[in-house]
Amino acid sequence: MTTALQQAPSTAELVEFLQPAIADQLGASIESLARAPSRYSTSFAMENLEVTLNDGSRLGLVFKDLSPEALLDGARRTRPGFAYLARREVDVYRRVLSPAGMGTAHPFAAEADPGAGRYWLFLEKVEGVELYQVQDLEIWKAAARWLSFLHERFASVEVPASVAGYDAGWYRRWMGRALEFSPEGTAAALERLVPAHEATVEHLSALPATLIHGDFYASNVLTGWTGSGLRVCPVDWERAAIGPGMLDLASLCAGWDDRPAAE
């Protein structure tokens, strides 16, 4: 099991932090808060929260701790430091997605405090099914349309500086790391790919740039029916960036099985 380096904040700390946001947005106060680790924690510590309000209603939230010390061991061993920007997902939810009203999870409360080293995100717990579990092609098409709308919407919109840009240097850096950390005996094979990689870098760098999710795999897209229709809700915006929309589309299509179904 992967673990984080820092001790999780106490329930009292979470209640104290959440209370002003709950009062402002729902006109209620917190009576109690139950918490449990999320099975979807892959990079950072995540918890499912059930908040009971003073009117008896309950609110489901996801608490994501994006602080450097909350990076889980597995991610810490494999993710290079230059790929991590602590405040990126907080800024994307608060300053980009929420104002756009695109059906993504509502950020009830968030904080990016470099002085305290605290980067907290409290999101609406969205009920839905991961797209990879969905067999209805029309829902996959809806996810692709949502993605197209994202790319068109933010093609010329300024986003926070914490949303990094993908440029030629960024792409080349990954090939350099692959060569640096390649197992013994495999470097020669990788080096033969360098010319093709360089051609790909030039092609990607020439494409129009927009806001991209950066990790738009089917496991990161929740879908579900609501009273107003189908909701497409991408989650995990840790790798949001400015880059070619083709990268998101490639991620969405990754893992498709092209073999004909057995009769």
Side-chain angles (χ1 to χ4, degrees):
M1 179 178 178
T2 55
T3 57
L5 293 181
Q6 71 174 17
Q7 184 177 357
S10 68
T11 299
E13 288 179 288
L14 297 187
V15 170
E16 181 181 7
F17 184 85
L18 274 172
Q19 182 56 71
I22 296 298
D24 179 59
Q25 297 175 56
L26 301 178
S29 60
I30 299 174
E31 289 291 321
S32 63
L33 185 150
R35 54 198 296 196
S38 170
R39 65 186 181 92
Y40 295 109
S41 300
T42 56
S43 300
F44 292 91
M46 290 176 58
E47 297 182 43
N48 292 322
L49 308 181
E50 185 177 85
V51 183
T52 301
L53 305 178
N54 62 329
D55 60 4
S57 62
R58 295 182 178 181
L59 175 68
L61 297 176
V62 173
F63 167 49
K64 190 169 187 179
D65 189 346
L66 294 153
S67 307
E69 295 79 7
L71 189 64
L72 301 178
D73 291 344
R76 192 179 301 278
R77 289 192 299 269
T78 59
R79 179 175 297 187
F82 70 83
Y84 167 61
L85 293 171
R87 67 177 304 136
R88 172 164 39 187
E89 192 168 15
V90 172
D91 285 347
V92 167
Y93 269 107
R94 287 196 308 185
R95 300 171 57 186
V96 180
L97 298 175
S98 183
M102 298 182 63
T104 50
H106 173 64
F108 274 90
E111 180 176 65
D113 185 348
R118 188 164 75 178
Y119 300 85
W120 286 0
L121 188 56
F122 294 84
L123 296 170
E124 164 200 7
K125 190 175 188 304
V126 177
E127 298 298 331
V129 178
E130 295 95 336
L131 185 60
Y132 77 89
Q133 300 185 54
V134 175
Q135 296 184 350
D136 188 341
L137 183 59
E138 293 304 314
I139 294 181
W140 282 80
K141 290 179 179 178
R145 286 193 294 270
W146 189 98
L147 184 60
S148 175
F149 180 66
L150 172 79
H151 294 161
E152 291 178 3
R153 175 81 177 267
F154 292 100
S156 58
V157 175
E158 186 174 348
V159 298
S162 57
V163 181
Y166 288 176
D167 56 17
W170 170 270
Y171 302 127
R172 293 188 181 107
R173 196 167 189 175
W174 290 102
M175 176 55 81
R177 287 180 58 81
L179 292 169
E180 180 182 355
F181 295 105
S182 59
E184 185 176 355
T186 64
L190 277 174
E191 287 172 355
R192 288 197 292 271
L193 297 176
V194 170
H197 179 265
E198 183 59 29
T200 302
V201 167
E202 292 180 3
H203 177 67
L204 289 174
S205 301
L207 292 174
T210 185
L211 174 69
I212 62 173
H213 180 278
D215 217 7
F216 204 83
Y217 295 101
S219 57
N220 284 335
V221 182
L222 297 177
T223 62
W225 293 97
T226 68
S228 57
L230 178 67
R231 181 179 186 182
V232 176
C233 180
V235 296
D236 286 342
W237 291 78
E238 296 168 17
R239 299 187 181 184
I242 299 300
M246 181 185 294
L247 294 180
D248 276 345
L249 183 60
S251 298
L252 179 63
C253 298
W256 281 8
D257 192 342
D258 294 329
R259 294 173 298 179
E263 297 183 359

mmCIF file of all heavy atoms in Angstrom, residues 94-137:
data_model
loop_
_atom_site.group_PDB
_atom_site.id
_atom_site.type_symbol
_atom_site.label_atom_id
_atom_site.label_comp_id
_atom_site.label_asym_id
_atom_site.label_seq_id
_atom_site.Cartn_x
_atom_site.Cartn_y
_atom_site.Cartn_z
ATOM 1 N N ARG A 94 -10.617 26.086 -9.388
ATOM 2 C CA ARG A 94 -11.172 27.341 -8.879
ATOM 3 C C ARG A 94 -11.289 28.416 -9.954
ATOM 4 O O ARG A 94 -12.287 29.135 -10.013
ATOM 5 C CB ARG A 94 -10.296 27.877 -7.734
ATOM 6 C CG ARG A 94 -10.411 27.133 -6.436
ATOM 7 C CD ARG A 94 -9.832 27.925 -5.282
ATOM 8 N NE ARG A 94 -8.483 28.397 -5.521
ATOM 9 C CZ ARG A 94 -7.732 29.024 -4.612
ATOM 10 N NH1 ARG A 94 -8.230 29.258 -3.416
ATOM 11 N NH2 ARG A 94 -6.505 29.415 -4.902
ATOM 12 N N ARG A 95 -10.282 28.527 -10.793
ATOM 13 C CA ARG A 95 -10.185 29.685 -11.677
ATOM 14 C C ARG A 95 -10.508 29.386 -13.141
ATOM 15 O O ARG A 95 -10.653 30.315 -13.933
ATOM 16 C CB ARG A 95 -8.775 30.282 -11.569
ATOM 17 C CG ARG A 95 -8.435 30.742 -10.158
ATOM 18 C CD ARG A 95 -6.988 31.130 -10.005
ATOM 19 N NE ARG A 95 -6.593 32.172 -10.941
ATOM 20 C CZ ARG A 95 -5.340 32.607 -11.093
ATOM 21 N NH1 ARG A 95 -4.366 32.065 -10.360
ATOM 22 N NH2 ARG A 95 -5.061 33.554 -11.969
ATOM 23 N N VAL A 96 -10.619 28.109 -13.494
ATOM 24 C CA VAL A 96 -10.887 27.763 -14.891
ATOM 25 C C VAL A 96 -12.175 26.964 -15.027
ATOM 26 O O VAL A 96 -13.131 27.399 -15.678
ATOM 27 C CB VAL A 96 -9.699 26.970 -15.498
ATOM 28 C CG1 VAL A 96 -9.990 26.611 -16.952
ATOM 29 C CG2 VAL A 96 -8.413 27.765 -15.399
ATOM 30 N N LEU A 97 -12.230 25.796 -14.421
ATOM 31 C CA LEU A 97 -13.357 24.897 -14.635
ATOM 32 C C LEU A 97 -14.643 25.379 -13.979
ATOM 33 O O LEU A 97 -15.713 25.371 -14.597
ATOM 34 C CB LEU A 97 -13.009 23.491 -14.130
ATOM 35 C CG LEU A 97 -11.828 22.812 -14.826
ATOM 36 C CD1 LEU A 97 -11.512 21.492 -14.147
ATOM 37 C CD2 LEU A 97 -12.126 22.596 -16.308
ATOM 38 N N SER A 98 -14.564 25.777 -12.723
ATOM 39 C CA SER A 98 -15.775 26.182 -12.012
ATOM 40 C C SER A 98 -16.460 27.373 -12.682
ATOM 41 O O SER A 98 -17.675 27.339 -12.910
ATOM 42 C CB SER A 98 -15.450 26.498 -10.542
ATOM 43 O OG SER A 98 -16.617 26.828 -9.840
ATOM 44 N N PRO A 99 -15.737 28.448 -13.047
ATOM 45 C CA PRO A 99 -16.408 29.566 -13.725
ATOM 46 C C PRO A 99 -16.981 29.182 -15.084
ATOM 47 O O PRO A 99 -17.947 29.797 -15.548
ATOM 48 C CB PRO A 99 -15.283 30.600 -13.874
ATOM 49 C CG PRO A 99 -14.277 30.257 -12.833
ATOM 50 C CD PRO A 99 -14.327 28.767 -12.721
ATOM 51 N N ALA A 100 -16.407 28.160 -15.731
ATOM 52 C CA ALA A 100 -16.851 27.792 -17.078
ATOM 53 C C ALA A 100 -18.144 26.998 -17.061
ATOM 54 O O ALA A 100 -18.838 26.933 -18.083
ATOM 55 C CB ALA A 100 -15.762 26.982 -17.781
ATOM 56 N N GLY A 101 -18.499 26.386 -15.916
ATOM 57 C CA GLY A 101 -19.745 25.643 -15.822
ATOM 58 C C GLY A 101 -19.855 24.509 -16.814
ATOM 59 O O GLY A 101 -20.863 24.376 -17.511
ATOM 60 N N MET A 102 -18.831 23.649 -16.862
ATOM 61 C CA MET A 102 -18.796 22.574 -17.848
ATOM 62 C C MET A 102 -19.165 21.209 -17.280
ATOM 63 O O MET A 102 -18.951 20.185 -17.925
ATOM 64 C CB MET A 102 -17.408 22.509 -18.489
ATOM 65 C CG MET A 102 -17.043 23.777 -19.243
ATOM 66 S SD MET A 102 -15.424 23.686 -20.036
ATOM 67 C CE MET A 102 -15.681 22.360 -21.198
ATOM 68 N N GLY A 103 -19.705 21.194 -16.070
ATOM 69 C CA GLY A 103 -20.141 19.926 -15.496
ATOM 70 C C GLY A 103 -19.092 19.179 -14.718
ATOM 71 O O GLY A 103 -19.316 18.037 -14.290
ATOM 72 N N THR A 104 -17.921 19.785 -14.529
ATOM 73 C CA THR A 104 -16.900 19.151 -13.714
ATOM 74 C C THR A 104 -17.276 19.279 -12.236
ATOM 75 O O THR A 104 -18.187 20.024 -11.873
ATOM 76 C CB THR A 104 -15.523 19.793 -13.968
ATOM 77 O OG1 THR A 104 -15.646 21.224 -13.856
ATOM 78 C CG2 THR A 104 -15.015 19.447 -15.352
ATOM 79 N N ALA A 105 -16.584 18.537 -11.395
ATOM 80 C CA ALA A 105 -16.896 18.530 -9.970
ATOM 81 C C ALA A 105 -16.787 19.935 -9.381
ATOM 82 O O ALA A 105 -15.827 20.664 -9.649
ATOM 83 C CB ALA A 105 -15.958 17.571 -9.237
ATOM 84 N N HIS A 106 -17.769 20.290 -8.570
ATOM 85 C CA HIS A 106 -17.765 21.619 -7.951
ATOM 86 C C HIS A 106 -16.756 21.676 -6.815
ATOM 87 O O HIS A 106 -16.766 20.828 -5.924
ATOM 88 C CB HIS A 106 -19.155 21.936 -7.401
ATOM 89 C CG HIS A 106 -19.206 23.209 -6.609
ATOM 90 N ND1 HIS A 106 -18.947 24.446 -7.169
ATOM 91 C CD2 HIS A 106 -19.471 23.435 -5.288
ATOM 92 C CE1 HIS A 106 -19.060 25.376 -6.240
ATOM 93 N NE2 HIS A 106 -19.362 24.796 -5.093
ATOM 94 N N PRO A 107 -15.867 22.668 -6.812
ATOM 95 C CA PRO A 107 -14.922 22.823 -5.708
ATOM 96 C C PRO A 107 -15.564 23.606 -4.557
ATOM 97 O O PRO A 107 -15.676 24.828 -4.615
ATOM 98 C CB PRO A 107 -13.767 23.607 -6.346
ATOM 99 C CG PRO A 107 -14.423 24.418 -7.429
ATOM 100 C CD PRO A 107 -15.605 23.625 -7.915
ATOM 101 N N PHE A 108 -15.984 22.897 -3.517
ATOM 102 C CA PHE A 108 -16.619 23.570 -2.387
ATOM 103 C C PHE A 108 -15.636 24.437 -1.620
ATOM 104 O O PHE A 108 -15.993 25.509 -1.123
ATOM 105 C CB PHE A 108 -17.243 22.533 -1.439
ATOM 106 C CG PHE A 108 -18.634 22.131 -1.829
ATOM 107 C CD1 PHE A 108 -18.841 21.060 -2.686
ATOM 108 C CD2 PHE A 108 -19.734 22.824 -1.365
ATOM 109 C CE1 PHE A 108 -20.121 20.697 -3.068
ATOM 110 C CE2 PHE A 108 -21.021 22.467 -1.737
ATOM 111 C CZ PHE A 108 -21.220 21.396 -2.590
ATOM 112 N N ALA A 109 -14.404 23.978 -1.521
ATOM 113 C CA ALA A 109 -13.391 24.751 -0.798
ATOM 114 C C ALA A 109 -12.022 24.348 -1.317
ATOM 115 O O ALA A 109 -11.822 23.205 -1.748
ATOM 116 C CB ALA A 109 -13.482 24.510 0.706
ATOM 117 N N ALA A 110 -11.089 25.288 -1.296
ATOM 118 C CA ALA A 110 -9.742 24.999 -1.770
ATOM 119 C C ALA A 110 -8.791 26.020 -1.189
ATOM 120 O O ALA A 110 -9.182 27.146 -0.835
ATOM 121 C CB ALA A 110 -9.685 25.024 -3.299
ATOM 122 N N GLU A 111 -7.542 25.627 -1.096
ATOM 123 C CA GLU A 111 -6.514 26.557 -0.630
ATOM 124 C C GLU A 111 -5.177 26.173 -1.237
ATOM 125 O O GLU A 111 -4.843 24.993 -1.335
ATOM 126 C CB GLU A 111 -6.404 26.536 0.891
ATOM 127 C CG GLU A 111 -5.346 27.500 1.418
ATOM 128 C CD GLU A 111 -5.305 27.556 2.929
ATOM 129 O OE1 GLU A 111 -4.967 26.531 3.546
ATOM 130 O OE2 GLU A 111 -5.620 28.629 3.486
ATOM 131 N N ALA A 112 -4.436 27.170 -1.678
ATOM 132 C CA ALA A 112 -3.070 26.981 -2.130
ATOM 133 C C ALA A 112 -2.221 27.975 -1.358
ATOM 134 O O ALA A 112 -2.175 29.161 -1.686
ATOM 135 C CB ALA A 112 -2.948 27.202 -3.629
ATOM 136 N N ASP A 113 -1.576 27.509 -0.299
ATOM 137 C CA ASP A 113 -0.822 28.371 0.606
ATOM 138 C C ASP A 113 0.631 27.913 0.630
ATOM 139 O O ASP A 113 0.989 26.995 1.386
ATOM 140 C CB ASP A 113 -1.428 28.306 2.009
ATOM 141 C CG ASP A 113 -0.760 29.273 2.976
ATOM 142 O OD1 ASP A 113 0.307 29.822 2.637
ATOM 143 O OD2 ASP A 113 -1.295 29.474 4.082
ATOM 144 N N PRO A 114 1.497 28.526 -0.191
ATOM 145 C CA PRO A 114 2.906 28.106 -0.209
ATOM 146 C C PRO A 114 3.585 28.272 1.144
ATOM 147 O O PRO A 114 4.442 27.467 1.515
ATOM 148 C CB PRO A 114 3.527 29.030 -1.256
ATOM 149 C CG PRO A 114 2.384 29.509 -2.086
ATOM 150 C CD PRO A 114 1.212 29.588 -1.145
ATOM 151 N N GLY A 115 3.216 29.329 1.892
ATOM 152 C CA GLY A 115 3.838 29.560 3.185
ATOM 153 C C GLY A 115 3.614 28.418 4.145
ATOM 154 O O GLY A 115 4.529 28.004 4.871
ATOM 155 N N ALA A 116 2.396 27.898 4.154
ATOM 156 C CA ALA A 116 2.068 26.786 5.043
ATOM 157 C C ALA A 116 2.349 25.440 4.393
ATOM 158 O O ALA A 116 2.259 24.395 5.050
ATOM 159 C CB ALA A 116 0.597 26.866 5.438
ATOM 160 N N GLY A 117 2.686 25.467 3.104
ATOM 161 C CA GLY A 117 2.909 24.215 2.395
ATOM 162 C C GLY A 117 1.648 23.391 2.286
ATOM 163 O O GLY A 117 1.685 22.162 2.257
ATOM 164 N N ARG A 118 0.514 24.074 2.209
ATOM 165 C CA ARG A 118 -0.773 23.379 2.217
ATOM 166 C C ARG A 118 -1.530 23.660 0.922
ATOM 167 O O ARG A 118 -1.786 24.810 0.576
ATOM 168 C CB ARG A 118 -1.608 23.831 3.416
ATOM 169 C CG ARG A 118 -2.878 23.028 3.597
ATOM 170 C CD ARG A 118 -3.472 23.232 4.972
ATOM 171 N NE ARG A 118 -4.129 24.505 5.127
ATOM 172 C CZ ARG A 118 -4.757 24.900 6.243
ATOM 173 N NH1 ARG A 118 -4.762 24.099 7.295
ATOM 174 N NH2 ARG A 118 -5.338 26.079 6.307
ATOM 175 N N TYR A 119 -1.883 22.584 0.246
ATOM 176 C CA TYR A 119 -2.635 22.665 -1.006
ATOM 177 C C TYR A 119 -3.793 21.674 -0.901
ATOM 178 O O TYR A 119 -3.631 20.482 -1.156
ATOM 179 C CB TYR A 119 -1.734 22.344 -2.198
ATOM 180 C CG TYR A 119 -0.558 23.293 -2.321
ATOM 181 C CD1 TYR A 119 0.617 23.069 -1.612
ATOM 182 C CD2 TYR A 119 -0.638 24.429 -3.117
ATOM 183 C CE1 TYR A 119 1.690 23.947 -1.701
ATOM 184 C CE2 TYR A 119 0.428 25.312 -3.228
ATOM 185 C CZ TYR A 119 1.588 25.063 -2.506
ATOM 186 O OH TYR A 119 2.649 25.943 -2.601
ATOM 187 N N TRP A 120 -4.950 22.185 -0.506
ATOM 188 C CA TRP A 120 -6.116 21.352 -0.233
ATOM 189 C C TRP A 120 -7.204 21.619 -1.256
ATOM 190 O O TRP A 120 -7.415 22.757 -1.681
ATOM 191 C CB TRP A 120 -6.675 21.630 1.160
ATOM 192 C CG TRP A 120 -5.853 21.065 2.287
ATOM 193 C CD1 TRP A 120 -4.696 20.355 2.187
ATOM 194 C CD2 TRP A 120 -6.135 21.188 3.679
ATOM 195 N NE1 TRP A 120 -4.244 20.017 3.443
ATOM 196 C CE2 TRP A 120 -5.106 20.511 4.375
ATOM 197 C CE3 TRP A 120 -7.148 21.805 4.404
ATOM 198 C CZ2 TRP A 120 -5.075 20.431 5.755
ATOM 199 C CZ3 TRP A 120 -7.130 21.726 5.788
ATOM 200 C CH2 TRP A 120 -6.105 21.043 6.457
ATOM 201 N N LEU A 121 -7.930 20.561 -1.600
ATOM 202 C CA LEU A 121 -9.024 20.663 -2.555
ATOM 203 C C LEU A 121 -10.177 19.791 -2.061
ATOM 204 O O LEU A 121 -10.001 18.594 -1.811
ATOM 205 C CB LEU A 121 -8.548 20.191 -3.929
ATOM 206 C CG LEU A 121 -9.443 20.377 -5.149
ATOM 207 C CD1 LEU A 121 -9.835 21.836 -5.336
ATOM 208 C CD2 LEU A 121 -8.732 19.857 -6.393
ATOM 209 N N PHE A 122 -11.352 20.413 -1.869
ATOM 210 C CA PHE A 122 -12.557 19.707 -1.432
ATOM 211 C C PHE A 122 -13.565 19.768 -2.568
ATOM 212 O O PHE A 122 -14.118 20.826 -2.868
ATOM 213 C CB PHE A 122 -13.139 20.348 -0.174
ATOM 214 C CG PHE A 122 -12.261 20.237 1.037
ATOM 215 C CD1 PHE A 122 -11.239 21.161 1.260
ATOM 216 C CD2 PHE A 122 -12.445 19.210 1.953
ATOM 217 C CE1 PHE A 122 -10.426 21.064 2.380
ATOM 218 C CE2 PHE A 122 -11.643 19.110 3.067
ATOM 219 C CZ PHE A 122 -10.619 20.038 3.285
ATOM 220 N N LEU A 123 -13.799 18.631 -3.198
ATOM 221 C CA LEU A 123 -14.633 18.577 -4.391
ATOM 222 C C LEU A 123 -15.944 17.848 -4.126
ATOM 223 O O LEU A 123 -16.011 16.937 -3.284
ATOM 224 C CB LEU A 123 -13.894 17.826 -5.510
ATOM 225 C CG LEU A 123 -12.613 18.452 -6.042
ATOM 226 C CD1 LEU A 123 -11.888 17.466 -6.942
ATOM 227 C CD2 LEU A 123 -12.914 19.744 -6.797
ATOM 228 N N GLU A 124 -16.952 18.243 -4.875
ATOM 229 C CA GLU A 124 -18.196 17.485 -4.923
ATOM 230 C C GLU A 124 -17.884 16.027 -5.254
ATOM 231 O O GLU A 124 -17.098 15.735 -6.159
ATOM 232 C CB GLU A 124 -19.080 18.092 -6.015
ATOM 233 C CG GLU A 124 -20.229 17.225 -6.468
ATOM 234 C CD GLU A 124 -20.761 17.640 -7.826
ATOM 235 O OE1 GLU A 124 -20.156 18.524 -8.471
ATOM 236 O OE2 GLU A 124 -21.790 17.069 -8.242
ATOM 237 N N LYS A 125 -18.484 15.107 -4.506
ATOM 238 C CA LYS A 125 -18.319 13.686 -4.816
ATOM 239 C C LYS A 125 -19.317 13.326 -5.922
ATOM 240 O O LYS A 125 -20.513 13.227 -5.684
ATOM 241 C CB LYS A 125 -18.538 12.806 -3.590
ATOM 242 C CG LYS A 125 -18.142 11.345 -3.817
ATOM 243 C CD LYS A 125 -18.259 10.544 -2.534
ATOM 244 C CE LYS A 125 -17.672 9.155 -2.722
ATOM 245 N NZ LYS A 125 -18.275 8.399 -3.838
ATOM 246 N N VAL A 126 -18.814 13.163 -7.115
ATOM 247 C CA VAL A 126 -19.661 12.922 -8.282
ATOM 248 C C VAL A 126 -20.020 11.436 -8.358
ATOM 249 O O VAL A 126 -19.146 10.569 -8.313
ATOM 250 C CB VAL A 126 -18.939 13.354 -9.569
ATOM 251 C CG1 VAL A 126 -19.776 13.029 -10.792
ATOM 252 C CG2 VAL A 126 -18.613 14.844 -9.512
ATOM 253 N N GLU A 127 -21.298 11.172 -8.470
ATOM 254 C CA GLU A 127 -21.756 9.796 -8.659
ATOM 255 C C GLU A 127 -21.740 9.490 -10.151
ATOM 256 O O GLU A 127 -22.381 10.174 -10.940
ATOM 257 C CB GLU A 127 -23.171 9.620 -8.086
ATOM 258 C CG GLU A 127 -23.271 9.876 -6.594
ATOM 259 C CD GLU A 127 -22.429 8.917 -5.762
ATOM 260 O OE1 GLU A 127 -22.223 7.765 -6.213
ATOM 261 O OE2 GLU A 127 -21.958 9.322 -4.685
ATOM 262 N N GLY A 128 -21.013 8.496 -10.521
ATOM 263 C CA GLY A 128 -20.924 8.153 -11.936
ATOM 264 C C GLY A 128 -20.129 6.887 -12.144
ATOM 265 O O GLY A 128 -19.584 6.302 -11.206
ATOM 266 N N VAL A 129 -20.059 6.469 -13.380
ATOM 267 C CA VAL A 129 -19.339 5.263 -13.768
ATOM 268 C C VAL A 129 -18.144 5.662 -14.611
ATOM 269 O O VAL A 129 -18.261 6.511 -15.510
ATOM 270 C CB VAL A 129 -20.257 4.309 -14.571
ATOM 271 C CG1 VAL A 129 -19.490 3.071 -15.024
ATOM 272 C CG2 VAL A 129 -21.473 3.920 -13.742
ATOM 273 N N GLU A 130 -16.981 5.076 -14.330
ATOM 274 C CA GLU A 130 -15.812 5.377 -15.139
ATOM 275 C C GLU A 130 -16.071 4.949 -16.580
ATOM 276 O O GLU A 130 -16.620 3.881 -16.841
ATOM 277 C CB GLU A 130 -14.576 4.647 -14.604
ATOM 278 C CG GLU A 130 -14.139 5.106 -13.227
ATOM 279 C CD GLU A 130 -14.705 4.229 -12.134
ATOM 280 O OE1 GLU A 130 -15.749 3.577 -12.369
ATOM 281 O OE2 GLU A 130 -14.105 4.176 -11.055
ATOM 282 N N LEU A 131 -15.649 5.784 -17.502
ATOM 283 C CA LEU A 131 -15.962 5.557 -18.908
ATOM 284 C C LEU A 131 -15.460 4.200 -19.405
ATOM 285 O O LEU A 131 -16.088 3.581 -20.268
ATOM 286 C CB LEU A 131 -15.372 6.693 -19.757
ATOM 287 C CG LEU A 131 -15.700 6.686 -21.247
ATOM 288 C CD1 LEU A 131 -17.206 6.765 -21.488
ATOM 289 C CD2 LEU A 131 -14.984 7.838 -21.947
ATOM 290 N N TYR A 132 -14.350 3.729 -18.858
ATOM 291 C CA TYR A 132 -13.819 2.459 -19.351
ATOM 292 C C TYR A 132 -14.748 1.286 -19.064
ATOM 293 O O TYR A 132 -14.631 0.216 -19.668
ATOM 294 C CB TYR A 132 -12.420 2.194 -18.783
ATOM 295 C CG TYR A 132 -12.390 1.716 -17.354
ATOM 296 C CD1 TYR A 132 -12.451 0.350 -17.052
ATOM 297 C CD2 TYR A 132 -12.277 2.618 -16.297
ATOM 298 C CE1 TYR A 132 -12.411 -0.087 -15.732
ATOM 299 C CE2 TYR A 132 -12.234 2.187 -14.994
ATOM 300 C CZ TYR A 132 -12.302 0.832 -14.713
ATOM 301 O OH TYR A 132 -12.264 0.403 -13.406
ATOM 302 N N GLN A 133 -15.702 1.472 -18.142
ATOM 303 C CA GLN A 133 -16.663 0.424 -17.836
ATOM 304 C C GLN A 133 -17.931 0.520 -18.685
ATOM 305 O O GLN A 133 -18.818 -0.316 -18.567
ATOM 306 C CB GLN A 133 -17.057 0.490 -16.357
ATOM 307 C CG GLN A 133 -15.902 0.314 -15.391
ATOM 308 C CD GLN A 133 -16.369 0.256 -13.956
ATOM 309 O OE1 GLN A 133 -17.229 -0.547 -13.589
ATOM 310 N NE2 GLN A 133 -15.813 1.123 -13.124
ATOM 311 N N VAL A 134 -18.005 1.551 -19.506
ATOM 312 C CA VAL A 134 -19.214 1.813 -20.293
ATOM 313 C C VAL A 134 -19.082 1.188 -21.674
ATOM 314 O O VAL A 134 -18.072 1.385 -22.363
ATOM 315 C CB VAL A 134 -19.452 3.332 -20.425
ATOM 316 C CG1 VAL A 134 -20.632 3.613 -21.339
ATOM 317 C CG2 VAL A 134 -19.673 3.944 -19.039
ATOM 318 N N GLN A 135 -20.099 0.452 -22.098
ATOM 319 C CA GLN A 135 -20.083 -0.187 -23.410
ATOM 320 C C GLN A 135 -20.909 0.569 -24.453
ATOM 321 O O GLN A 135 -20.884 0.219 -25.626
ATOM 322 C CB GLN A 135 -20.608 -1.624 -23.289
ATOM 323 C CG GLN A 135 -19.732 -2.516 -22.418
ATOM 324 C CD GLN A 135 -20.219 -3.951 -22.381
ATOM 325 O OE1 GLN A 135 -21.309 -4.259 -22.859
ATOM 326 N NE2 GLN A 135 -19.417 -4.827 -21.815
ATOM 327 N N ASP A 136 -21.621 1.588 -24.026
ATOM 328 C CA ASP A 136 -22.464 2.360 -24.932
ATOM 329 C C ASP A 136 -21.603 3.340 -25.730
ATOM 330 O O ASP A 136 -21.051 4.299 -25.178
ATOM 331 C CB ASP A 136 -23.524 3.111 -24.118
ATOM 332 C CG ASP A 136 -24.561 3.797 -24.997
ATOM 333 O OD1 ASP A 136 -24.289 4.016 -26.199
ATOM 334 O OD2 ASP A 136 -25.650 4.114 -24.484
ATOM 335 N N LEU A 137 -21.483 3.119 -27.036
ATOM 336 C CA LEU A 137 -20.637 3.967 -27.872
ATOM 337 C C LEU A 137 -21.100 5.414 -27.871
ATOM 338 O O LEU A 137 -20.283 6.339 -27.999
ATOM 339 C CB LEU A 137 -20.613 3.421 -29.306
ATOM 340 C CG LEU A 137 -19.705 4.153 -30.295
ATOM 341 C CD1 LEU A 137 -18.256 4.146 -29.819
ATOM 342 C CD2 LEU A 137 -19.809 3.520 -31.680
#
